[in-house]
Amino acid sequence: MAVDAARRRGLLLLLVATATAFVARPATGSALVGQGCSASSPCGSGMRCATCSPLPGSGPAVCSRTTPIDPKIHGTGLPFNRYSWLTTHNSFAITGTPSATGAPIVSPPNQEDSVTGQLNNGVRGLMLDTYDFKNDLWLCHSFAGKCYDFTAYQPASKVLKEIKAFLDSNPSEVITVFVEDYSAPGSLSKALAAAGLTKYVFPPAKMPGNGADWPTLKDMVAQGHRLLVFTSKQGREGSDGVAHVWNYVVETKYGSDGLAMGSCASRAESRAMDSKAQSLVLVNFFTTNPSQSWACVNNSSPLIAQLRTCYDASAKRWPNFIAVDFYMRSSGGGAPLATDVANGRLQCGCDTIAYCKENAPFGTCTMPSSLPSSASASSSPNPSASRSSSPAPVPTLAPTMSPSSVSSQSSSPAPL
């Protein structure tokens, strides 16, 4: 068992190093993932130039990824539960943001750019905490379940309008919002309507029950159901027109309690991770007290290792949502790479979506020599690697899946 565990860790580290290295070479002179960068040697698109840790003297600036490969790069014909989406925890709690109340804010931040910036970087899952405050719906942290001037970030209307603007401008995109809801019945639906979002909301009555597959992404877009809103409160289907999250999603423990090595327990309100009555899987990976330095160290290989642990715990299912703090912080591939890994496993049975071969049988993997421009900053081809119709000889987290195994997540392969 110890040898197997060591082998898994070794292969995992090799995968991270290999997949991180295969980042498409952008404009001549641009630095690649993990390379030093500066104003004269900038990073390519989908990356940023920054020190991994925010602490002074933590080292030179390097290029790190901010954007996953577009999960739709190989099409939108799969059920929604066969895609994985980068998700931000407390998406509204942004560093350096004063409270809209005018009071100094004491609540710790969890992200570093606006919700619009997050969406532009490929984030498609947003976590919002809502409270009735100042005769409106606000996004807030709390003390003893109450929102105060010094913990309130902004009215929910601001973020909801950002979501509306993004959906209007990007007609093929789908966004999922997880609401930790402390508001009265009707408050959320009123805010959604005021922002002009009601027309986009996926009706709970049309959501699949008993763990069935979701509609294809293509059909969701065609029907205009491009905003999934899940609330933590039961019975809001009637008052707010939104679904109770744990009827459709199994979710891991959040905060530091959910980070025990080798463990992937469900949060108290969720069904067990191996429940087949829910067809969506959410993995939380962040500390109780938000830490940029922790994210810097852990948002790459430790995160991918947790996905593998949760695959075992979740009835052999890879996550559909990967929720992190400070999603742009990592020593290289980060949370975007973890999203690529989950999408590779879900969509084609490969170690990363970068290795999926277009229009090929499931389980056919290759190291690409080129990628469409939409993925150019997210995974890079090795110019010397040849394309092949058989699985590429790359380090694996799991044996590739056979074409006959593609009907549901539960048939995904077991990792090493």
Side-chain angles (χ1 to χ4, degrees):
M1 293 294 289
V3 173
D4 286 345
R7 180 168 174 260
R8 289 170 183 165
R9 287 193 295 272
L11 287 173
L12 179 60
L13 292 172
L14 185 55
L15 168 65
V16 172
T18 303
T20 300
F22 285 103
V23 175
R25 193 174 298 275
T28 302
S30 296
L32 304 179
V33 169
Q35 291 185 340
C37 52
S38 63
S40 60
S41 181
C43 306
S45 63
M47 294 183 280
R48 73 169 187 170
C49 182
T51 58
C52 181
S53 169
L55 299 176
S58 59
V62 297
C63 294
S64 58
R65 288 182 58 187
T66 60
T67 307
I69 296 175
D70 186 351
K72 308 184 305 299
I73 192 172
H74 297 299
T76 57
L78 295 174
F80 183 72
N81 51 298
R82 289 280 303 283
Y83 296 87
S84 186
W85 309 98
L86 179 57
T87 300
T88 48
H89 171 235
N90 287 340
S91 315
F92 61 92
I94 300 162
T95 55
T97 300
S99 171
T101 66
I105 197 161
V106 300
S107 301
N110 302 83
Q111 305 301 331
E112 297 172 289
D113 60 344
S114 67
V115 166
T116 296
Q118 294 169 35
L119 294 172
N120 287 336
N121 278 338
V123 171
R124 292 294 179 269
L126 304 171
M127 291 181 162
L128 309 177
D129 293 2
T130 59
Y131 292 79
D132 291 316
F133 184 62
K134 294 185 179 295
N135 298 313
D136 202 353
L137 189 70
W138 276 66
L139 303 176
C140 187
H141 290 322
S142 68
F143 286 114
K146 293 184 178 181
C147 184
Y148 296 90
D149 284 358
F150 52 85
T151 65
Y153 274 87
Q154 55 189 306
S157 59
K158 181 179 183 299
V159 166
L160 296 179
K161 287 175 182 177
E162 289 182 81
I163 295 171
K164 168 69 160 49
F166 184 84
L167 289 173
D168 287 349
S169 300
N170 297 273
S172 65
E173 297 298 333
V174 174
I175 296 172
T176 302
V177 177
F178 297 94
V179 180
E180 189 79 22
D181 197 350
Y182 298 91
S183 66
S187 294
L188 180 56
S189 62
K190 180 180 177 181
L192 290 168
L197 284 171
T198 304
K199 65 179 181 180
Y200 288 126
V201 174
F202 196 122
K206 295 187 177 181
M207 292 182 176
N210 299 316
D213 276 343
W214 282 70
T216 65
L217 196 56
K218 176 173 62 178
D219 287 344
M220 289 171 62
V221 169
Q223 294 164 10
H225 299 159
R226 298 198 291 122
L227 180 63
L228 280 70
V229 182
F230 292 114
T231 175
S232 59
K233 288 288 182 69
Q234 290 183 335
R236 295 297 172 88
E237 290 83 359
S239 62
D240 292 271
V242 296
H244 184 227
V245 60
W246 296 297
N247 286 343
Y248 304 96
V249 183
V250 291
E251 178 181 355
T252 66
K253 279 186 178 179
Y254 57 87
S256 301
D257 288 345
L259 299 175
M261 184 178 295
S263 172
C264 185
S266 61
R267 67 179 286 171
E269 302 92 334
S270 169
R271 294 282 295 273
M273 294 304 296
D274 61 356
S275 170
K276 293 291 190 68
Q278 295 76 26
S279 52
L280 296 173
V281 177
L282 165 60
V283 170
N284 294 308
F285 194 76
F286 47 83
T287 52
T288 300
N289 297 312
S291 169
Q292 292 165 305
S293 297
W294 187 91
C296 163
V297 173
N298 290 280
N299 271 0
S300 285
S301 57
L303 171 55
I304 296 175
Q306 183 67 2
L307 300 191
R308 186 268 171 200
T309 297
C310 290
Y311 166 88
D312 286 339
S314 305
K316 309 302 181 186
R317 293 178 293 180
W318 295 93
N320 303 105
F321 303 97
I322 301 170
V324 297
D325 284 340
F326 307 112
Y327 76 98
M328 295 190 290
R329 291 274 172 189
S330 78
S331 55
L337 174 60
T339 307
D340 294 348
V341 168
N343 273 309
R345 280 293 159 201
L346 284 166
Q347 295 187 37
C348 67
C350 300
D351 288 330
T352 161
I353 193 173
Y355 298 166
C356 295
K357 186 172 175 63
E358 195 164 1
N359 298 321
F362 195 88
T364 302
C365 309
T366 183
M367 284 188 179
S369 59
S370 64
L371 280 172
S373 58
S374 61
S376 62
S378 304
S379 111
S380 100
N382 179 353
S384 64
S386 60
R387 299 184 72 86
S388 168
S389 60
S390 59
V394 297
T396 57
L397 282 174
T400 52
M401 296 159 65
S402 66
S404 62
S405 302
V406 305
S407 59
S408 68
Q409 267 218 52
S410 61
S411 58
S412 299
L416 289 169

